[in-house]
Amino acid sequence: MIKILRYFLRRIAVLFITVAIAVYLTIVIANAGGYIDKLIETEIRMNVAMSIKENPTLQGYTEEQKLKLMESIVKTQLKTKGLDKPFLIRSIYHLKNALTLDLGTAMWMTSDSGSMKVKNIILERLPLTILLFTTATVLIFFINLTLGLKLSQKYGSFLDKLIVYLSPLSVIPGWFYGIFLLLIFYSWLHILPHGGFMDFPPPPTLFEKILSVIRHMILPLLAWLISSIFVGTYSERNFFLIYSTEDYVEVARAKGLPPKDVERKYILRPALPPIITSFALSVISSWMGAIITERIFSWPGLGMVLSQAIGMFDAPVIIGVTVIYAYLLAGTVLLLDFIYAIIDPRVRI
Amino acid sequence: MNEELSIYSLKGIFKEILRYKIGVFSLIIFAFFIVLIIYTIIAIPYDKTISLWNDSQAWLKYPRNAIPVWWGFFTGKNLPKNINLSNKGSLNLISQNPKKIELIYSFNYNYDDFPTEFNIFFKSQYKNEPPILRIFWEKPNKDKIFLLEHQLRSEESTLYLGNETSIEDKLIEYLKSKLEYYPPYSVTVVRGLFVDTSGNLNIEKGEYKLHIEVELKDKDDTITAEPIIYGKVHGIAGTDHLRRPLELALLWGTPIDLSFGLGAAISITLLHLILATISGWFGGKVDSLIQRLTEIYMVLPFLPLMIMISLFYKLTIWKLLFVLIFLSLFGSGVKTQRALVLQVKTLPYIEAAKAYGASNWRIVFLYIIPKILPPVIPNLIISIPAYVFLEAILSIFGVLDPTQPTWGRIIEDAFQNGALYKGYYYWVLEPSFLLILTAVSFALLGFVIDRIVNPRLKEI
């Protein structure tokens, strides 16, 4: 138990350093054009200008004097925030802010509750992204697993051959299938909604609300499923086939164990670790697909925030989303590590 | 295990591909793309395409959102094409003083659907006052309807008949007199001009005539008119919301998208190969540095970073290619290929090379990389579509250079203008079809090569 704990603490530490480096890279890239600095400076300037304008004791000042006063206040504020320092030191300051999710204020966007804080805008949408992504991931994993196992048993059958021949179709990403699903189920058949996550206005009862969300989730989930099912089942079938030719499986069969037991205990168990590994890689890369899928189905998650921020050129939000994605990716890696450690005891040693 | 690391050379692989049906099929598609690219580059020069594509004035005489001609066949209707009347006209002199002329355009309209717009482009030269026009419309049943009187506003001016409500009133008046009741459908100008007098929304087929009486204020004044009846079908690819023919972007999208995908896939795979070989061959600190870097790259939010960079720095697609390569430098390919390197490292011929004193770099570049190149090629080919789709993703997020005509750009335009809601399916399906064709052909080729270089797959 302590071993597992120690293993995970080490993994968390390593991943945190990794996230820090990734976020630092984001900051350096964003700031190579002076973006973050300029944003912060304009924010300070705006606040100072407002406070000077509203300050009644400064009524007698001329415009020139006010401007001078403003400049000096801005300068001291920049100094207190450490923005007069060289970039290397400033970037550390930005890094600290980003890592603690102190992501600043949005330029134009507001969260649904009216807050201008980037943190609120993002965190408000995060659950929806996680809902869609997790459902899709879990669904795909289990469908691929059962189908792959079925196929490996009926190796050489028509369905098996069909899947093998259709596997090249998986190079087409999920969001792209999404366009066609929209064409068929929304534009042509009019039976499913075109996007969003709930009917508007929202239905009165909780049950109907859940039903409405499920209706909106069908198409994005289906799109992802179509794109991953062929190659997913194909590769899992291969893993199962490799393991089902092992001698101990033959022995188990010869002993007369029921086929279900052979399947579960003698083929599935040893095949799981490599399956999880290849699955982990695909999950990590599918975060990228999640962003664009949300855009296609106007699913109001992080991908939509990003796309709205692009439309409004809201730089702090874009940077914030990037930082959050770094955290999400690291979280995914950690979670997969955890699952892997449960399934494969060798990792823990 | 060792002989599985490919006994084939690149040339041998090519010969093997021809033995597979799907291999030949994918090669045929590539041949098609190559022909398309060569045609595009020769027939419509790049600079001209770009300037035309971004010139909103260049396409005024094209219909808006017209579907492709061949697509029209599936509707089972004979849909109207653009009718340009300028060469179907004749000129009558009515009187010399004041100078009055009559332009008469006659044409047959046998389509099953109404046109979309009706504009007349005038060009005139006048001394003091612009000419005054009186426009009449003659139906196949010889009824002549007065449409409107209009004075030109400038030397070059366009009359948008569809926007003139007075014409609408005149046409309703005409229909009411014919039907003896108010027409049961909403009458727009183009409907009123072409509808028959049965009371239903049917086209009256036959010969129509457009009369334009022009009163020129000075005897030296001149006028030419170009009446255009806009259709619902156009060209082989249709037009978009800005009346631009889509084939222009579809054709130029091919070389742009494919070179983006090929460039990205080849350079990224080769760099992965080199890094993996260095990592596997040298081992020690270099190895662990490269391995740690791949772990960092794993949590690098690749797509948001790409979007951020191309949005903040307004990069062209080619500069973005370098960003893409940089952001994929330590991708997961390094890890899988390093495993191959570790296998090759123990082979006798490497031992021999070491024994006669070959340098490290010689072994890396001349002995190891060529050896592990063939098993990597299938992955290279299968990864090409991913980068072509990446172009589309970036276009859909609207962060790519909007002046470049690419497949992704067309999809983005279609999405932005509600193609899915308004039923302009061709607009989405055409670029999608090309994308799918690209993706599937590369995938098939990759699978075939995978079977050739990894013979173990054949057994399963």
Short mmCIF file of all heavy atoms in Angstrom, two decimals, chain A residues 18 21 29 32-33 155 167-168 171 173 175-176 179-180 183 186-187 194 241 288 291 295 307 310 315 318 322 329, chain B residues 296 299 301-303 307 309 311-313 389 393 396-397 416 420-421 425 428-429 432 435-436 439 443-444 447 459-460:
data_model
loop_
_atom_site.label_atom_id
_atom_site.label_comp_id
_atom_site.label_asym_id
_atom_site.label_seq_id
_atom_site.Cartn_x
_atom_site.Cartn_y
_atom_site.Cartn_z
N THR A 18 6.01 18.55 -15.15
CA THR A 18 5.75 18.52 -16.58
C THR A 18 4.74 19.58 -16.97
O THR A 18 4.93 20.31 -17.95
CB THR A 18 5.20 17.13 -16.97
OG1 THR A 18 5.80 16.16 -16.15
CG2 THR A 18 5.48 16.84 -18.39
N ILE A 21 6.28 22.96 -16.92
CA ILE A 21 7.10 23.23 -18.10
C ILE A 21 6.20 23.54 -19.30
O ILE A 21 6.44 24.48 -20.06
CB ILE A 21 8.03 22.04 -18.38
CG1 ILE A 21 9.06 21.92 -17.25
CG2 ILE A 21 8.75 22.24 -19.71
CD1 ILE A 21 9.90 20.68 -17.31
N ILE A 29 5.59 31.38 -25.41
CA ILE A 29 5.08 31.54 -26.77
C ILE A 29 4.12 32.72 -26.84
O ILE A 29 4.21 33.56 -27.73
CB ILE A 29 4.36 30.25 -27.23
CG1 ILE A 29 5.38 29.14 -27.44
CG2 ILE A 29 3.58 30.50 -28.51
CD1 ILE A 29 4.75 27.78 -27.64
N ALA A 32 6.04 36.02 -26.55
CA ALA A 32 7.08 36.37 -27.50
C ALA A 32 6.67 37.61 -28.28
O ALA A 32 7.50 38.41 -28.69
CB ALA A 32 7.37 35.21 -28.42
N GLY A 33 5.38 37.79 -28.46
CA GLY A 33 4.91 39.01 -29.10
C GLY A 33 4.51 40.06 -28.07
O GLY A 33 3.88 41.03 -28.38
N TYR A 155 -12.83 -15.47 -35.24
CA TYR A 155 -11.80 -15.03 -36.15
C TYR A 155 -12.00 -15.65 -37.54
O TYR A 155 -12.20 -16.85 -37.67
CB TYR A 155 -10.45 -15.41 -35.54
CG TYR A 155 -9.33 -15.63 -36.50
CD1 TYR A 155 -8.84 -14.56 -37.23
CD2 TYR A 155 -8.76 -16.88 -36.65
CE1 TYR A 155 -7.79 -14.74 -38.11
CE2 TYR A 155 -7.71 -17.06 -37.52
CZ TYR A 155 -7.25 -16.00 -38.25
OH TYR A 155 -6.21 -16.18 -39.12
N SER A 167 -11.28 -0.94 -41.34
CA SER A 167 -10.42 -0.23 -40.40
C SER A 167 -9.75 1.02 -40.99
O SER A 167 -9.51 1.97 -40.24
CB SER A 167 -9.39 -1.17 -39.79
OG SER A 167 -8.62 -1.75 -40.78
N PRO A 168 -9.45 1.08 -42.31
CA PRO A 168 -8.89 2.35 -42.80
C PRO A 168 -9.82 3.54 -42.61
O PRO A 168 -9.36 4.68 -42.58
CB PRO A 168 -8.66 2.09 -44.29
CG PRO A 168 -8.53 0.62 -44.41
CD PRO A 168 -9.42 0.04 -43.36
N VAL A 171 -9.15 6.54 -40.11
CA VAL A 171 -8.28 7.72 -40.25
C VAL A 171 -9.12 8.99 -40.30
O VAL A 171 -8.61 10.08 -40.09
CB VAL A 171 -7.39 7.69 -41.50
CG1 VAL A 171 -6.30 6.67 -41.37
CG2 VAL A 171 -8.19 7.51 -42.76
N PRO A 173 -11.35 11.55 -38.73
CA PRO A 173 -11.57 11.84 -37.31
C PRO A 173 -13.06 11.96 -36.96
O PRO A 173 -13.90 12.16 -37.84
CB PRO A 173 -10.86 13.17 -37.10
CG PRO A 173 -10.77 13.77 -38.44
CD PRO A 173 -10.72 12.66 -39.43
N TRP A 175 -14.90 14.24 -35.40
CA TRP A 175 -15.64 15.47 -35.69
C TRP A 175 -16.09 15.51 -37.14
O TRP A 175 -17.11 16.10 -37.48
CB TRP A 175 -14.81 16.70 -35.35
CG TRP A 175 -13.55 16.86 -36.16
CD1 TRP A 175 -12.33 16.38 -35.83
CD2 TRP A 175 -13.40 17.52 -37.40
NE1 TRP A 175 -11.42 16.71 -36.80
CE2 TRP A 175 -12.05 17.42 -37.77
CE3 TRP A 175 -14.26 18.22 -38.25
CZ2 TRP A 175 -11.54 17.96 -38.95
CZ3 TRP A 175 -13.76 18.76 -39.41
CH2 TRP A 175 -12.41 18.63 -39.76
N PHE A 176 -15.29 14.86 -38.01
CA PHE A 176 -15.63 14.89 -39.43
C PHE A 176 -16.85 14.02 -39.71
O PHE A 176 -17.73 14.39 -40.49
CB PHE A 176 -14.43 14.41 -40.24
CG PHE A 176 -14.47 14.86 -41.66
CD1 PHE A 176 -14.28 16.19 -41.97
CD2 PHE A 176 -14.70 13.96 -42.68
CE1 PHE A 176 -14.32 16.61 -43.28
CE2 PHE A 176 -14.74 14.38 -43.99
CZ PHE A 176 -14.55 15.71 -44.29
N ILE A 179 -20.01 15.95 -38.92
CA ILE A 179 -20.63 16.78 -39.96
C ILE A 179 -21.67 15.97 -40.71
O ILE A 179 -22.80 16.43 -40.95
CB ILE A 179 -19.56 17.30 -40.93
CG1 ILE A 179 -18.61 18.25 -40.20
CG2 ILE A 179 -20.21 18.03 -42.11
CD1 ILE A 179 -17.48 18.76 -41.06
N PHE A 180 -21.32 14.72 -41.03
CA PHE A 180 -22.24 13.89 -41.81
C PHE A 180 -23.44 13.48 -40.97
O PHE A 180 -24.57 13.44 -41.46
CB PHE A 180 -21.53 12.66 -42.35
CG PHE A 180 -20.52 13.02 -43.38
CD1 PHE A 180 -19.20 13.19 -43.05
CD2 PHE A 180 -20.92 13.24 -44.68
CE1 PHE A 180 -18.28 13.57 -43.99
CE2 PHE A 180 -20.01 13.62 -45.63
CZ PHE A 180 -18.69 13.78 -45.29
N LEU A 183 -25.73 16.27 -40.96
CA LEU A 183 -26.43 16.33 -42.25
C LEU A 183 -27.60 15.35 -42.27
O LEU A 183 -28.70 15.68 -42.71
CB LEU A 183 -25.47 15.98 -43.39
CG LEU A 183 -24.70 17.11 -44.03
CD1 LEU A 183 -23.77 16.59 -45.09
CD2 LEU A 183 -25.68 18.09 -44.67
N TYR A 186 -29.96 15.79 -38.54
CA TYR A 186 -30.58 17.09 -38.30
C TYR A 186 -31.15 17.69 -39.59
O TYR A 186 -32.34 17.93 -39.71
CB TYR A 186 -29.58 18.05 -37.65
CG TYR A 186 -30.07 19.46 -37.64
CD1 TYR A 186 -31.10 19.83 -36.79
CD2 TYR A 186 -29.56 20.42 -38.52
CE1 TYR A 186 -31.60 21.12 -36.81
CE2 TYR A 186 -30.06 21.70 -38.54
CZ TYR A 186 -31.07 22.04 -37.69
OH TYR A 186 -31.57 23.31 -37.71
N SER A 187 -30.28 17.88 -40.59
CA SER A 187 -30.72 18.60 -41.78
C SER A 187 -31.73 17.80 -42.59
O SER A 187 -32.65 18.35 -43.16
CB SER A 187 -29.53 18.93 -42.68
OG SER A 187 -28.56 19.60 -41.96
N HIS A 194 -29.36 20.00 -33.53
CA HIS A 194 -28.12 20.28 -34.26
C HIS A 194 -26.96 20.58 -33.32
O HIS A 194 -25.82 20.60 -33.74
CB HIS A 194 -28.32 21.44 -35.22
CG HIS A 194 -28.40 22.76 -34.54
ND1 HIS A 194 -29.57 23.28 -34.07
CD2 HIS A 194 -27.44 23.66 -34.24
CE1 HIS A 194 -29.35 24.44 -33.50
NE2 HIS A 194 -28.06 24.69 -33.58
N LEU A 241 -6.01 -12.14 -30.15
CA LEU A 241 -5.58 -13.29 -30.95
C LEU A 241 -4.19 -13.74 -30.54
O LEU A 241 -3.91 -14.93 -30.42
CB LEU A 241 -5.58 -12.93 -32.44
CG LEU A 241 -6.93 -13.04 -33.14
CD1 LEU A 241 -6.80 -12.66 -34.60
CD2 LEU A 241 -7.46 -14.46 -33.02
N MET A 288 -7.60 16.50 -28.36
CA MET A 288 -7.56 17.43 -29.47
C MET A 288 -8.86 17.34 -30.26
O MET A 288 -9.44 18.35 -30.64
CB MET A 288 -6.38 17.08 -30.36
CG MET A 288 -6.13 18.07 -31.43
SD MET A 288 -4.57 17.72 -32.24
CE MET A 288 -5.15 17.35 -33.87
N ILE A 291 -11.90 19.14 -28.68
CA ILE A 291 -12.04 20.59 -28.88
C ILE A 291 -12.87 20.87 -30.13
O ILE A 291 -13.83 21.65 -30.10
CB ILE A 291 -10.64 21.23 -29.00
CG1 ILE A 291 -9.84 20.96 -27.74
CG2 ILE A 291 -10.77 22.71 -29.26
CD1 ILE A 291 -8.44 21.46 -27.82
N ARG A 295 -16.90 22.20 -31.05
CA ARG A 295 -17.15 23.31 -31.98
C ARG A 295 -18.21 22.92 -33.01
O ARG A 295 -19.13 23.68 -33.28
CB ARG A 295 -15.84 23.68 -32.67
CG ARG A 295 -15.95 24.60 -33.85
CD ARG A 295 -16.15 26.04 -33.41
NE ARG A 295 -16.13 26.94 -34.54
CZ ARG A 295 -17.15 27.10 -35.37
NH1 ARG A 295 -18.24 26.41 -35.18
NH2 ARG A 295 -17.08 27.94 -36.38
N SER A 307 -13.42 28.57 -28.98
CA SER A 307 -13.82 29.08 -30.28
C SER A 307 -14.49 30.46 -30.17
O SER A 307 -14.28 31.32 -31.01
CB SER A 307 -14.66 28.02 -30.98
OG SER A 307 -15.88 28.47 -31.31
N ILE A 310 -11.71 32.91 -29.70
CA ILE A 310 -11.04 33.22 -30.96
C ILE A 310 -11.85 34.25 -31.73
O ILE A 310 -11.32 35.21 -32.26
CB ILE A 310 -10.86 31.94 -31.80
CG1 ILE A 310 -9.86 31.02 -31.14
CG2 ILE A 310 -10.40 32.27 -33.21
CD1 ILE A 310 -9.86 29.63 -31.70
N ALA A 315 -7.61 37.28 -25.81
CA ALA A 315 -6.34 36.59 -25.56
C ALA A 315 -6.25 35.94 -24.18
O ALA A 315 -5.81 34.79 -24.07
CB ALA A 315 -5.19 37.54 -25.78
N ILE A 318 -7.98 32.62 -24.23
CA ILE A 318 -7.28 31.61 -25.04
C ILE A 318 -6.11 31.03 -24.25
O ILE A 318 -5.92 29.81 -24.20
CB ILE A 318 -6.80 32.24 -26.36
CG1 ILE A 318 -8.00 32.69 -27.17
CG2 ILE A 318 -5.97 31.24 -27.16
CD1 ILE A 318 -7.65 33.48 -28.39
N THR A 322 -5.68 27.13 -22.80
CA THR A 322 -4.48 26.34 -23.06
C THR A 322 -3.92 25.76 -21.76
O THR A 322 -3.55 24.59 -21.69
CB THR A 322 -3.41 27.20 -23.77
OG1 THR A 322 -4.04 27.91 -24.83
CG2 THR A 322 -2.31 26.36 -24.32
N LEU A 329 -4.74 17.23 -19.57
CA LEU A 329 -3.91 16.16 -20.14
C LEU A 329 -3.14 15.46 -19.03
O LEU A 329 -3.08 14.23 -18.99
CB LEU A 329 -2.96 16.74 -21.18
CG LEU A 329 -3.60 17.04 -22.52
CD1 LEU A 329 -2.68 17.88 -23.38
CD2 LEU A 329 -3.90 15.74 -23.25
N ILE B 296 7.06 15.45 -21.47
CA ILE B 296 6.54 16.83 -21.39
C ILE B 296 5.64 17.11 -22.59
O ILE B 296 4.56 17.67 -22.46
CB ILE B 296 7.69 17.84 -21.34
CG1 ILE B 296 8.43 17.70 -20.02
CG2 ILE B 296 7.16 19.26 -21.51
CD1 ILE B 296 9.68 18.51 -19.94
N VAL B 299 1.89 16.17 -22.41
CA VAL B 299 0.87 17.02 -21.78
C VAL B 299 0.84 18.42 -22.39
O VAL B 299 0.13 19.29 -21.91
CB VAL B 299 1.05 17.15 -20.25
CG1 VAL B 299 0.99 15.81 -19.60
CG2 VAL B 299 2.31 17.88 -19.91
N PRO B 301 -0.61 21.01 -24.53
CA PRO B 301 -1.92 21.11 -25.21
C PRO B 301 -1.72 21.55 -26.64
O PRO B 301 -1.76 22.73 -26.96
CB PRO B 301 -2.67 22.14 -24.39
CG PRO B 301 -1.65 22.89 -23.64
CD PRO B 301 -0.42 22.05 -23.53
N PHE B 302 -1.53 20.56 -27.48
CA PHE B 302 -1.07 20.81 -28.84
C PHE B 302 -1.99 21.73 -29.63
O PHE B 302 -1.58 22.76 -30.16
CB PHE B 302 -0.91 19.45 -29.54
CG PHE B 302 -0.68 19.54 -30.99
CD1 PHE B 302 0.55 19.90 -31.48
CD2 PHE B 302 -1.70 19.25 -31.88
CE1 PHE B 302 0.76 19.99 -32.83
CE2 PHE B 302 -1.50 19.33 -33.23
CZ PHE B 302 -0.27 19.70 -33.72
N LEU B 303 -3.28 21.35 -29.70
CA LEU B 303 -4.19 22.13 -30.56
C LEU B 303 -4.41 23.55 -30.04
O LEU B 303 -4.31 24.50 -30.83
CB LEU B 303 -5.51 21.38 -30.73
CG LEU B 303 -6.47 22.01 -31.73
CD1 LEU B 303 -5.84 22.09 -33.11
CD2 LEU B 303 -7.76 21.23 -31.80
N ILE B 307 -3.55 26.91 -32.16
CA ILE B 307 -4.55 27.94 -32.40
C ILE B 307 -4.05 29.29 -31.88
O ILE B 307 -4.12 30.30 -32.56
CB ILE B 307 -5.89 27.55 -31.72
CG1 ILE B 307 -6.53 26.40 -32.50
CG2 ILE B 307 -6.83 28.73 -31.64
CD1 ILE B 307 -7.74 25.81 -31.83
N ILE B 309 -0.97 30.27 -31.35
CA ILE B 309 0.15 30.81 -32.12
C ILE B 309 -0.34 31.40 -33.44
O ILE B 309 0.01 32.52 -33.81
CB ILE B 309 1.20 29.71 -32.37
CG1 ILE B 309 1.87 29.34 -31.05
CG2 ILE B 309 2.24 30.19 -33.36
CD1 ILE B 309 2.73 28.12 -31.13
N LEU B 311 -3.20 32.48 -34.18
CA LEU B 311 -4.05 33.64 -33.98
C LEU B 311 -3.23 34.88 -33.60
O LEU B 311 -3.44 35.96 -34.14
CB LEU B 311 -5.07 33.33 -32.88
CG LEU B 311 -6.18 34.36 -32.71
CD1 LEU B 311 -7.12 34.30 -33.90
CD2 LEU B 311 -6.95 34.11 -31.43
N PHE B 312 -2.28 34.69 -32.69
CA PHE B 312 -1.52 35.85 -32.20
C PHE B 312 -0.53 36.37 -33.24
O PHE B 312 -0.31 37.56 -33.33
CB PHE B 312 -0.74 35.47 -30.93
CG PHE B 312 -1.60 35.34 -29.70
CD1 PHE B 312 -2.96 35.52 -29.78
CD2 PHE B 312 -1.04 35.05 -28.47
CE1 PHE B 312 -3.76 35.39 -28.66
CE2 PHE B 312 -1.83 34.93 -27.35
CZ PHE B 312 -3.19 35.10 -27.44
N TYR B 313 0.06 35.46 -33.99
CA TYR B 313 1.13 35.90 -34.88
C TYR B 313 0.72 35.97 -36.33
O TYR B 313 1.51 36.31 -37.19
CB TYR B 313 2.35 35.00 -34.71
CG TYR B 313 2.85 35.00 -33.29
CD1 TYR B 313 2.74 33.89 -32.49
CD2 TYR B 313 3.40 36.16 -32.76
CE1 TYR B 313 3.16 33.91 -31.17
CE2 TYR B 313 3.82 36.20 -31.45
CZ TYR B 313 3.70 35.06 -30.66
OH TYR B 313 4.10 35.09 -29.36
N PHE B 389 -6.39 16.92 -42.06
CA PHE B 389 -7.54 17.26 -41.23
C PHE B 389 -7.20 18.38 -40.26
O PHE B 389 -8.06 19.19 -39.92
CB PHE B 389 -8.05 16.04 -40.46
CG PHE B 389 -8.90 15.14 -41.29
CD1 PHE B 389 -8.48 13.87 -41.63
CD2 PHE B 389 -10.13 15.57 -41.75
CE1 PHE B 389 -9.27 13.04 -42.40
CE2 PHE B 389 -10.92 14.75 -42.52
CZ PHE B 389 -10.49 13.48 -42.84
N ILE B 393 -9.25 21.65 -39.31
CA ILE B 393 -9.60 22.06 -37.95
C ILE B 393 -9.22 23.53 -37.73
O ILE B 393 -10.03 24.32 -37.25
CB ILE B 393 -8.88 21.18 -36.91
CG1 ILE B 393 -9.42 19.75 -36.95
CG2 ILE B 393 -9.05 21.75 -35.51
CD1 ILE B 393 -8.74 18.81 -35.98
N ILE B 396 -11.55 25.74 -39.48
CA ILE B 396 -12.87 25.82 -38.86
C ILE B 396 -12.83 26.73 -37.64
O ILE B 396 -13.77 27.45 -37.35
CB ILE B 396 -13.38 24.41 -38.52
CG1 ILE B 396 -13.79 23.73 -39.82
CG2 ILE B 396 -14.57 24.45 -37.57
CD1 ILE B 396 -14.21 22.30 -39.67
N PHE B 397 -11.70 26.74 -36.93
CA PHE B 397 -11.58 27.68 -35.83
C PHE B 397 -11.29 29.09 -36.31
O PHE B 397 -11.21 30.02 -35.53
CB PHE B 397 -10.49 27.23 -34.85
CG PHE B 397 -11.00 26.27 -33.82
CD1 PHE B 397 -10.64 24.95 -33.86
CD2 PHE B 397 -11.87 26.69 -32.84
CE1 PHE B 397 -11.13 24.06 -32.92
CE2 PHE B 397 -12.37 25.81 -31.91
CZ PHE B 397 -12.00 24.50 -31.94
N GLN B 416 -20.22 28.66 -41.36
CA GLN B 416 -20.52 30.03 -40.93
C GLN B 416 -21.81 30.54 -41.56
O GLN B 416 -22.53 31.32 -40.97
CB GLN B 416 -19.37 30.96 -41.33
CG GLN B 416 -18.16 30.87 -40.45
CD GLN B 416 -18.43 31.44 -39.08
OE1 GLN B 416 -19.23 32.35 -38.90
NE2 GLN B 416 -17.78 30.89 -38.07
N LEU B 420 -25.71 23.86 -43.38
CA LEU B 420 -26.42 22.68 -42.90
C LEU B 420 -27.90 23.00 -42.64
O LEU B 420 -28.76 22.13 -42.75
CB LEU B 420 -25.80 22.17 -41.60
CG LEU B 420 -24.40 21.58 -41.71
CD1 LEU B 420 -23.97 21.03 -40.37
CD2 LEU B 420 -24.35 20.49 -42.75
N TYR B 421 -28.19 24.23 -42.27
CA TYR B 421 -29.57 24.59 -41.93
C TYR B 421 -30.35 25.00 -43.16
O TYR B 421 -31.55 24.83 -43.23
CB TYR B 421 -29.57 25.70 -40.88
CG TYR B 421 -28.54 25.48 -39.82
CD1 TYR B 421 -27.57 26.42 -39.54
CD2 TYR B 421 -28.51 24.26 -39.12
CE1 TYR B 421 -26.61 26.17 -38.58
CE2 TYR B 421 -27.55 24.02 -38.17
CZ TYR B 421 -26.60 24.97 -37.91
OH TYR B 421 -25.63 24.73 -36.97
N TYR B 425 -26.14 21.43 -49.14
CA TYR B 425 -25.30 20.28 -48.77
C TYR B 425 -24.05 20.18 -49.63
O TYR B 425 -23.00 19.77 -49.15
CB TYR B 425 -26.11 18.99 -48.88
CG TYR B 425 -27.34 18.99 -48.01
CD1 TYR B 425 -28.51 18.39 -48.43
CD2 TYR B 425 -27.32 19.60 -46.77
CE1 TYR B 425 -29.64 18.41 -47.63
CE2 TYR B 425 -28.45 19.62 -45.97
CZ TYR B 425 -29.60 19.03 -46.40
OH TYR B 425 -30.70 19.06 -45.61
N VAL B 428 -20.78 21.60 -48.26
CA VAL B 428 -20.03 20.84 -47.25
C VAL B 428 -19.50 19.54 -47.86
O VAL B 428 -18.38 19.13 -47.59
CB VAL B 428 -20.94 20.51 -46.05
CG1 VAL B 428 -20.16 19.75 -45.00
CG2 VAL B 428 -21.53 21.76 -45.47
N LEU B 429 -20.33 18.92 -48.71
CA LEU B 429 -19.98 17.58 -49.16
C LEU B 429 -18.82 17.57 -50.15
O LEU B 429 -18.04 16.63 -50.15
CB LEU B 429 -21.21 16.91 -49.79
CG LEU B 429 -22.28 16.52 -48.78
CD1 LEU B 429 -23.47 15.89 -49.47
CD2 LEU B 429 -21.73 15.54 -47.76
N SER B 432 -15.59 17.81 -48.31
CA SER B 432 -15.54 16.61 -47.47
C SER B 432 -15.18 15.39 -48.30
O SER B 432 -14.40 14.55 -47.88
CB SER B 432 -16.87 16.37 -46.79
OG SER B 432 -17.24 17.48 -46.06
N LEU B 435 -11.57 15.38 -48.94
CA LEU B 435 -10.85 15.03 -47.72
C LEU B 435 -10.91 13.53 -47.47
O LEU B 435 -9.91 12.90 -47.13
CB LEU B 435 -11.45 15.78 -46.53
CG LEU B 435 -10.91 17.16 -46.24
CD1 LEU B 435 -11.79 17.88 -45.24
CD2 LEU B 435 -9.50 17.04 -45.69
N ILE B 436 -12.11 12.96 -47.65
CA ILE B 436 -12.27 11.53 -47.39
C ILE B 436 -11.46 10.73 -48.39
O ILE B 436 -10.79 9.76 -48.04
CB ILE B 436 -13.76 11.14 -47.46
CG1 ILE B 436 -14.48 11.73 -46.26
CG2 ILE B 436 -13.93 9.65 -47.49
CD1 ILE B 436 -15.96 11.48 -46.27
N ALA B 439 -7.95 10.86 -47.30
CA ALA B 439 -7.72 10.11 -46.07
C ALA B 439 -7.75 8.62 -46.35
O ALA B 439 -6.84 7.88 -45.95
CB ALA B 439 -8.79 10.47 -45.04
N ALA B 443 -4.74 5.91 -46.11
CA ALA B 443 -4.89 4.85 -45.11
C ALA B 443 -4.75 3.48 -45.75
O ALA B 443 -4.04 2.61 -45.23
CB ALA B 443 -6.25 4.96 -44.42
N LEU B 444 -5.37 3.29 -46.92
CA LEU B 444 -5.27 2.00 -47.60
C LEU B 444 -3.83 1.69 -47.95
O LEU B 444 -3.34 0.58 -47.73
CB LEU B 444 -6.14 2.01 -48.86
CG LEU B 444 -7.64 1.95 -48.65
CD1 LEU B 444 -8.36 2.04 -49.97
CD2 LEU B 444 -8.02 0.68 -47.91
N PHE B 447 -1.96 0.67 -44.93
CA PHE B 447 -2.29 -0.69 -44.50
C PHE B 447 -1.60 -1.72 -45.38
O PHE B 447 -1.10 -2.73 -44.88
CB PHE B 447 -3.80 -0.91 -44.51
CG PHE B 447 -4.46 -0.51 -43.23
CD1 PHE B 447 -4.45 0.81 -42.81
CD2 PHE B 447 -5.06 -1.45 -42.42
CE1 PHE B 447 -5.04 1.19 -41.62
CE2 PHE B 447 -5.65 -1.08 -41.22
CZ PHE B 447 -5.64 0.24 -40.83
N GLU B 459 -0.41 -13.32 -41.17
CA GLU B 459 -0.86 -14.58 -40.57
C GLU B 459 -2.16 -14.40 -39.81
O GLU B 459 -2.97 -15.31 -39.75
CB GLU B 459 0.22 -15.12 -39.62
CG GLU B 459 1.50 -15.49 -40.36
CD GLU B 459 2.69 -15.44 -39.43
OE1 GLU B 459 2.51 -15.54 -38.21
OE2 GLU B 459 3.82 -15.26 -39.94
N ILE B 460 -2.32 -13.21 -39.21
CA ILE B 460 -3.51 -13.02 -38.38
C ILE B 460 -4.71 -12.66 -39.26
O ILE B 460 -4.62 -11.76 -40.05
CB ILE B 460 -3.29 -11.92 -37.33
CG1 ILE B 460 -2.20 -12.39 -36.38
CG2 ILE B 460 -4.54 -11.62 -36.57
CD1 ILE B 460 -1.77 -11.36 -35.38
#
